[in-house]
Each structure stands twice: as structure tokens, then as C-alpha cells.
Amino acid sequence: MSGQKNRQVLVKKLPDGIPLEDDFEMGESAIPEPQDGTFRARTLVLSLDPYVRAVMSGRHFYGAPKPGDVMRGRSVARVDASRHPQYREGDVVVMESGLQDYAISDGDDVHRADTGTAPVSTALGVLGMPGLTAYAALLGPAQIKEGETVLVSAASGAVGSMVGQIAKINGCRAIGIAGSEEKCRWTESEAGFDACLNRKTDDLHARLSELAADGADIFFDNTGGDIQNLVMTKHLAVNSRVILSGLITQYNLPEAPPGPNLGNLCKMRTTVFGFVVYDFEHMRERFLTDAKRWFAEGKIRFKEDMTEGLETAPAQFSKLMHGDNFGKTLVKVAE
Amino acid sequence: MSGQKNRQVLVKKLPDGIPLEDDFEMGESAIPEPQDGTFRARTLVLSLDPYVRAVMSGRHFYGAPKPGDVMRGRSVARVDASRHPQYREGDVVVMESGLQDYAISDGDDVHRADTGTAPVSTALGVLGMPGLTAYAALLGPAQIKEGETVLVSAASGAVGSMVGQIAKINGCRAIGIAGSEEKCRWTESEAGFDACLNRKTDDLHARLSELAADGADIFFDNTGGDIQNLVMTKHLAVNSRVILSGLITQYNLPEAPPGPNLGNLCKMRTTVFGFVVYDFEHMRERFLTDAKRWFAEGKIRFKEDMTEGLETAPAQFSKLMHGDNFGKTLVKVAE
């Protein structure tokens, strides 16, 4: 690989509020060589995810990065040099690569990109961690049952769209909340939700009172904030379950705002689960078996917001954190 | 019963803020006669409970009372006339009698006052609904395990003191939070908690950081408010469980204040249960078997704040809602 360099997206400064393109800068290093027990992989498609903003604030169990660090991120990557017993050149994997062309791994937290007939990029979306998040939460703690009403925020995203589609596959009613008419249209007509409310233009309280007069049996919360407050205080059903999966509304804030009053949880005998997908690795195989079959049967739609070129990653991340993305936010880095 | 009257505590006006003695008035009616399928009971000891304040605000699934209604309340009572097939004169029961000398019941939601060697008043406290609340929550949803740290607010009350004592019986560490030095002393030296913090004088954050550096495995919340906020955002352990049982800090408020930010629940993979004891009737028999044995073995201490005379009930209720009671708040009405 002589002459070539490893391009990297570095943290320039820790963002203040919503991350801007300018909070990052491009850098480069020599292309690393794998040592015994490790492999090197070429990044193909990068995933940009809201939780990384929480990491940057030190509010995630991963530590906060420092200026100069390679920005964290998962990717689909192809092994191009290996001294690891289980990975060979040409293997396509999902790994924590960081935002760079090449990364070294010891195989920890690496999965083979097993997507069947679906595009390999879905290993970062509906057939990857976001899909597993929806699947494991609904079938695990939320104990989804046929005929229930499932309400999900950020409904057109990778997690949200899978929540609604898995709900439909399980014979439930799916109601989404999303941030634009375009997102709502896709969520209803493509992803097959029964309804999707526009949080910017709909009167959510009035619409939810009509659509789910007895409240949501399952509320899958990706956003926190006003939506969480409204749903948890006024739109839960008796014996409801709440999955706290994401808090995108507050990742940009300097400190955590107050949450919903919890009185209604007693009244409704609600159970709330702080959900971390990493605890559900044991469901991954079952998820992939189901999800690949559903995909092959045409039951899974997905939407991607993909740009090309590693250097587009900072702007894509900023767009995501502004809520202006539509679909799973990705960057194509190489073929 | 000719010549005698049935004295009653009536709601005079719905309280604004903390209920005052003057929000109630004494009234009387004829002593009622039981019809076929009902019995009449003479109130012996009345229970005064914080949740009744929530009822008065219409925030409970029981409807709100109107001025002139008999104030709601449970009591230990003795059947003194029966046309009910299952209850005979002399039977001692726990029932929703309201605050009055005599009440009629069709047997629904009536239990025999089964306290073994303990005083009959404990059927309203540690061996009654408050005791069942602690028992069912810890052994049911909270899934208490030996060696865990159990933190409970309002620790010297009937529910709180049982939470800590059942925690100790199960080989756990019990930490309480209470509202006076006297309550804390009793909670530690009589009820056997490992520690009890005074919410009025202790720096709760600092003390909890010392006493439970890894956080509470179980937080049993009877109060809501600042304590709920502090514990749920800063003092939960990984895989912790929170029982939302009472919200005494907000029953007097005109509207529900914001709650804790829920971000920490994700980080700690916490499960929160909105707990309603009425859902756990199936555990009552098991509870009574255990609790009467524990009582006989000297493992259960209890504290009562009992006055004499039906007419003392309004002042007792007001004292309870001011947080000035110490122990289970009761009114002795008859022998």
C-alpha cells in the first residue's frame, strides 16, 4: 500500500450544541499493518448515528473523545489483510472502524455482514444494529402481542421504521411520529404504518387521542423531549410498556432537561425499560433469520440517506443531528 | 340501634394544597340496615393514607369525591349485623368503610383481618395493604436478590419500613430516607436498616455516593419529587429496578411537576415499574403466611401514629399530608 495514506475524520473541537461540519477536520495517517491476531479492513460504507453525539458529550458509557481523535463510527468493511485466525482477505464485516479508510481490529465486536439478498449497506440499518434494536426490544422486554397499538417516534429512521414494520408483521397497529410530510408519507405508504403524525404540523395530543383513544400499549421512544413527555403523561394504555431507546432531542443540549412526571406510570401500571441493544446479542441470530426472510418476502422497506466520499461525513453527521436526514444516514467510502 | 346515629367525616370542600382540618366536617346519618347479601360493620380502627389526597384531586382511578360525600378510607371493622352468606356477627374484617362509625358492604374487596399474634391494627399497616405493597413489589417485579442494595424513601412509614425489613430478611442492604432525626433513629435502631438519611439535613447526594457508590439495585419510591429526581438521575446501579409506588410530594400540588430526565435509565439499563398493589391480590396469602411468621419471630417492627375518636380524623389526615406523622397514621374509633 506504499504511497497511499489512510484518510481520517478527526474531532477538531467538541461541539457546542448541534455539531457543525466545522467541528471536524480531515487528517491522515500511514495505512496501518495488522499484527498477529488482528486484521485490517477497508471501509466500504460508514454509519452515522445519533448516539455518537451523546458519546461526544461524555454521556455514553463509551468515553468522550478528545480533539484530534478519529471520530467514532461503525462501518461495513472488507478485510484486506489478516493475521487473525477467523478472518480472511475478502471477508465483509461490520465493525467499529471509526471514520477512516482503514482500521485494525482484533475481532472483538465484529460481525460478518450477513444480509442475504439485501444490499450490504442494510447491515448498518434495518438488518444491523438498528434492526436488532427494534426486534430485540419488541420481542424481548416489550413482549409485543397481536392486536396491540405500537407508537414510535422518529418513525422513518432505521430503528423507527423497523419498529413499525415488525409491529405490523406481529399483527399490531403501528403509529409513527416523524418530522416532515415526506417522512410521514413514506412511513405510511412504503413502510406500511397505519398512521404517521407530523410532529411539526400535527396537534399530536388531539391526533393521538383519536388514533389511540385507549393509549399506546407499547411506546418506543427514540427522541425524548416533548414527545416523550406528552406520550408518557397522556397516551399510555393500562399495562403499557415503554422502551427508552434514544434521546435524540437532548444529545445536543448542554445539560439534561427534566423528564415527564411519572405519576401516570403508576396509574397505567406501565413498565419502562432503559434499553441498550448491546445486552441483546443473544437475539442477533434469531433476528437475522427472521429479518432476512422478511426482506426476501418483501415485508421490509428501508430508506437510506447516503452520500459519497469520506470527506462528506462531517456534513452528513451535522445534517443528521439537525434532524434533516431522511432514512439511515450513511457515507459510501469505497466499492 | 335505636337512638344511635352514624357519625361521619364529610368532605366540606376539596382541598387547595395541603388538606386542612377545616376541609372536612362532622356529619351524621341513621345507622344503616344491611339488605340481603350485605353486612354492616362497626369501624374499630381507621387508616389514613396519602393516596386519598390523590383521589381528592381526581388523579386516582377512584373518582374524585364531592363536597358532602363521606371521606374515603379503609378500616378494621367488626361485623355487627349480617345478611351476607360469608360474614357473621363478630367477624373482624378490613374493608373500605369510609370515615364513619358504621358501613355496609356486599363483601367486595373485603378481607378478614388475619394478623396472627400481631395487634389487629397491623392489618392496616405492616400486615395489611402497605405490607403487601412492599412484599409484592420486592418479590414480584423488582425480583430482589441476596446481596443487593435497596433504597427506599419515606422509610419510617408502613410501606417503607416493610421494604427495608423485607430487604434485610432477604440478605440485602437497606438504606432509607426519612424526614426527621427521630424517624431515622427508629428506622436504623428498631427497623434494622443499615442506614437512614435525613432528607431535611443530610446532603443526600454526598451520602448516597458514599453509602451506595455503585448505586441502588432497587429504588422503592414512595415520594417522587427531588428524591426521585436525584436517585433516578444519579444513584441507580446497572440493571437496577425502580418501583414507583407513591408520589406523596405531589399529591398536594395543583398540577404534576416535571419528573427526572430519563437518560440515566438507558445508561443503567434500568426497569421502572408503575406499581399498583391491587394487581397483586394473588400474592396476599403468601405474604400473610410469611409476614405473620416474621412477626412471630420478632423480625418485623412497626410504628403507629394513632389518635382516638372519629372526630380526630381530619386533623390526623392533615398531619399526615404535612409529613408530620411518624408511623402508620390511624384513628381508633371503637374497641
Side-chain angles (χ1 to χ4, degrees):
Chain A
M1 318 289 286
S2 64
Q4 266 191 273
K5 287 287 185 183
N6 177 34
R7 292 177 310 148
Q8 302 176 310
V9 177
L10 306 177
V11 176
K12 191 158 115 197
K13 58 183 173 55
L14 291 181
D16 179 23
I18 300 183
L20 303 174
E21 200 177 337
D22 201 44
D23 293 326
F24 305 93
E25 62 188 344
M26 297 302 295
E28 55 179 37
S29 72
I31 293 175
E33 293 299 327
Q35 305 301 308
D36 264 0
T38 70
F39 65 81
R40 181 180 69 209
R42 173 71 171 112
T43 302
L44 304 178
V45 182
L46 279 168
S47 175
L48 299 176
D49 296 279
Y51 78 87
V52 175
R53 179 65 184 88
V55 176
M56 299 184 90
S57 304
R59 286 200 213 129
H60 196 276
F61 50 78
Y62 296 135
K66 297 178 299 296
D69 284 355
V70 176
M71 172 77 171
R72 171 173 280 276
R74 292 180 78 77
S75 68
V76 172
R78 187 186 299 111
V79 176
D80 78 338
S82 180
R83 294 172 66 181
H84 189 288
Q86 279 152 36
Y87 293 94
R88 295 163 51 170
E89 243 186 88
D91 286 353
V92 178
V93 298
V94 176
M95 63 184 285
E96 177 62 44
S97 59
L99 274 52
Q100 55 187 342
D101 283 328
Y102 295 92
I104 297 289
S105 171
D106 61 5
D108 187 43
D109 192 24
V110 171
H111 309 286
R112 289 173 198 277
D114 178 13
T115 58
T117 59
V120 77
S121 61
T122 60
L124 297 168
V126 289
L127 299 187
M129 204 66 96
L132 177 60
T133 299
Y135 181 92
L138 290 179
L139 276 67
Q143 290 286 303
I144 191 171
K145 284 184 280 294
E146 194 178 335
E148 292 194 316
T149 295
V150 176
L151 175 63
V152 58
S153 55
S156 67
V159 173
S161 67
M162 277 299 268
V163 168
Q165 294 180 94
I166 294 171
K168 294 303 295 177
I169 288 167
N170 280 274
C172 292
R173 232 157 48 99
I175 303 175
I177 300 173
S180 74
E181 277 312 302
E182 191 193 7
K183 289 177 181 179
C184 284
R185 259 199 318 274
W186 182 86
T187 301
E188 289 177 354
S189 60
E190 290 291 316
F193 283 50
D194 296 278
C196 186
L197 308 182
N198 183 335
R199 69 176 159 84
K200 292 182 180 159
T201 58
D202 278 320
D203 177 340
L204 294 183
H205 179 47
R207 294 297 316 278
L208 288 173
S209 301
E210 286 164 30
L211 288 166
D214 294 331
D217 298 298
I218 297 176
F219 171 45
F220 194 111
D221 189 13
N222 290 309
T223 57
D226 290 345
I227 292 173
Q228 180 189 75
N229 194 12
L230 174 68
V231 175
M232 289 184 69
T233 56
K234 294 189 179 150
H235 297 286
L236 294 178
V238 174
N239 293 318
S240 46
R241 289 83 72 202
V242 174
I243 299 292
L244 297 175
S245 177
L247 286 165
I248 192 168
T249 55
Q250 73 181 54
Y251 295 148
N252 295 314
L253 302 177
E255 46 186 283
N261 184 281
L262 302 182
N264 191 45
L265 302 183
C266 285
K267 198 165 162 186
M268 294 302 167
R269 299 107 191 263
T270 299
T271 307
V272 179
F273 299 93
F275 184 82
V276 176
V277 67
Y278 311 119
D279 297 341
F280 291 84
E281 276 304 320
H282 59 282
M283 290 181 79
R284 180 182 287 274
E285 206 166 324
R286 189 178 145 201
F287 159 64
L288 276 174
T289 303
D290 279 347
K292 286 190 293 183
R293 189 182 68 244
W294 294 333
F295 187 85
E297 294 169 355
K299 290 178 180 161
I300 301 286
R301 304 297 166 91
F302 63 98
K303 181 82 182 159
E304 293 179 339
D305 187 330
M306 179 141 57
T307 53
E308 267 194 60
L310 181 64
E311 66 284 359
T312 65
Q316 272 289 80
F317 184 61
S318 179
K319 183 180 171 194
L320 168 70
M321 293 311 301
H322 278 87
D324 295 337
N325 66 306
F326 174 18
K328 173 65 195 156
T329 305
L330 300 169
V331 175
K332 185 169 175 178
V333 177
E335 290 287 349
Chain B
M1 319 285 289
S2 61
Q4 267 193 277
K5 287 287 184 182
N6 177 33
R7 293 176 311 147
Q8 302 176 309
V9 177
L10 306 177
V11 176
K12 189 158 118 197
K13 59 183 171 58
L14 291 180
D16 179 23
I18 300 182
L20 303 176
E21 198 176 341
D22 202 42
D23 295 325
F24 305 93
E25 61 188 345
M26 296 302 294
E28 56 180 37
S29 72
I31 293 175
E33 292 299 328
Q35 305 302 306
D36 263 359
T38 70
F39 65 81
R40 181 180 68 208
R42 174 72 170 110
T43 302
L44 304 178
V45 183
L46 279 169
S47 176
L48 299 176
D49 296 279
Y51 80 86
V52 175
R53 179 65 185 88
V55 175
M56 298 184 91
S57 304
R59 284 199 215 131
H60 197 275
F61 50 79
Y62 296 136
K66 297 179 299 296
D69 284 354
V70 176
M71 173 78 172
R72 172 174 278 278
R74 292 181 77 78
S75 68
V76 171
R78 187 186 298 112
V79 177
D80 79 338
S82 181
R83 293 171 64 182
H84 190 288
Q86 279 152 36
Y87 294 93
R88 295 163 51 168
E89 246 187 85
D91 286 353
V92 179
V93 298
V94 176
M95 63 183 286
E96 177 61 45
S97 59
L99 274 54
Q100 54 188 342
D101 282 329
Y102 294 93
I104 297 289
S105 170
D106 62 4
D108 186 44
D109 192 24
V110 170
H111 307 285
R112 289 173 198 279
D114 178 13
T115 57
T117 57
V120 78
S121 61
T122 60
L124 298 168
V126 290
L127 299 187
M129 203 66 94
L132 177 60
T133 299
Y135 182 92
L138 290 179
L139 276 66
Q143 291 287 301
I144 191 171
K145 283 185 279 298
E146 192 178 337
E148 292 194 316
T149 296
V150 176
L151 174 63
V152 58
S153 55
S156 66
V159 173
S161 68
M162 276 299 267
V163 167
Q165 292 180 94
I166 294 171
K168 294 304 295 178
I169 288 167
N170 279 273
C172 292
R173 229 156 50 97
I175 302 174
I177 300 173
S180 74
E181 278 312 304
E182 190 192 8
K183 288 177 182 181
C184 285
R185 258 199 319 273
W186 182 85
T187 301
E188 290 177 354
S189 60
E190 289 292 316
F193 283 49
D194 297 278
C196 186
L197 309 182
N198 183 336
R199 69 177 159 83
K200 292 183 180 156
T201 56
D202 278 320
D203 177 340
L204 294 184
H205 179 48
R207 293 297 316 278
L208 288 173
S209 302
E210 286 165 29
L211 288 167
D214 293 329
D217 297 297
I218 296 175
F219 171 44
F220 194 111
D221 188 14
N222 290 309
T223 57
D226 291 344
I227 291 172
Q228 181 189 73
N229 194 13
L230 174 68
V231 175
M232 289 184 69
T233 57
K234 296 189 177 149
H235 296 287
L236 295 179
V238 174
N239 293 318
S240 46
R241 289 84 70 201
V242 174
I243 299 292
L244 297 175
S245 178
L247 285 164
I248 192 168
T249 55
Q250 72 181 55
Y251 295 148
N252 295 316
L253 302 177
E255 47 187 284
N261 184 282
L262 303 182
N264 192 44
L265 302 184
C266 286
K267 197 166 164 186
M268 293 303 169
R269 299 105 191 264
T270 299
T271 307
V272 180
F273 299 92
F275 185 83
V276 176
V277 66
Y278 310 119
D279 298 341
F280 291 83
E281 275 304 320
H282 58 282
M283 290 181 78
R284 180 183 289 274
E285 205 165 323
R286 190 178 145 202
F287 159 64
L288 276 173
T289 304
D290 278 347
K292 286 189 295 184
R293 188 183 69 246
W294 293 334
F295 187 86
E297 293 169 356
K299 291 177 178 160
I300 300 286
R301 305 295 168 93
F302 64 98
K303 181 83 183 159
E304 293 178 339
D305 186 331
M306 180 141 56
T307 54
E308 267 193 61
L310 182 65
E311 66 284 358
T312 65
Q316 271 290 80
F317 184 61
S318 178
K319 180 181 172 194
L320 169 69
M321 293 310 303
H322 278 87
D324 294 336
N325 65 306
F326 176 16
K328 173 66 195 152
T329 306
L330 300 169
V331 176
K332 184 169 177 178
V333 177
E335 289 289 349

